[in-house]
Amino acid sequence: MSVTSDRSPDEQQLTIKIKGRFDFSTHQDFRGAYEKETKAKRYVVDLKETNYLDSSALGMLLLLRDHAGGERADVRLANCNPDVVKILAISNFSKLFNIG
């Protein structure tokens, strides 16, 4: 499991990549990836290498959304595999996030 983050050259976008399991064990690393961010207007959570997602991960995504501006937030969940998409759909996260 690893969490990494990168800013776009114009510092308008923060991309957070999660590799492996996205669960409570990633809580501190995930929060640390964005909590001091003040310049980003867009957030992308890249789930390309995520093979597992649980309810604590869903909660962490909601915390990121709140940090990013709540209902006005521009948070995209990118590169989701079919299993992750299914979990997000069951949880109605498609109403809260742009999933692609």
Side-chain angles (χ1 to χ4, degrees):
M1 169 285 305
S2 71
V3 177
T4 59
S5 62
D6 296 304
R7 284 186 186 89
S8 61
D10 65 1
E11 297 188 352
Q12 297 294 302
Q13 178 173 299
L14 180 70
T15 301
I16 302 170
K17 295 180 182 180
I18 300 164
K19 184 175 182 179
R21 294 174 64 91
F22 188 15
D23 57 19
F24 188 75
S25 67
T26 63
H27 177 73
Q28 288 184 348
D29 291 337
F30 184 75
R31 192 178 74 205
Y34 71 81
E35 84 178 340
K36 294 183 181 175
E37 182 58 49
T38 59
K39 294 182 181 180
K41 299 203 183 325
R42 298 178 311 276
Y43 294 80
V44 176
V45 181
D46 187 340
L47 300 171
K48 181 178 183 178
E49 297 184 62
T50 304
N51 55 24
Y52 176 80
L53 184 89
D54 71 1
S55 61
S56 64
L58 298 176
M60 287 183 268
L61 290 171
L62 292 173
L63 290 173
L64 169 62
R65 182 176 181 260
D66 287 345
H67 172 84
E71 290 183 19
R72 299 180 321 268
D74 184 356
V75 180
R76 185 167 56 96
L77 308 180
N79 302 314
C80 302
N81 71 40
D83 292 333
V84 170
V85 169
K86 185 176 180 181
I87 292 167
L88 295 169
I90 290 169
S91 304
N92 284 321
F93 270 49
S94 59
K95 295 179 180 181
L96 303 174
F97 297 93
N98 180 0
I99 300 173

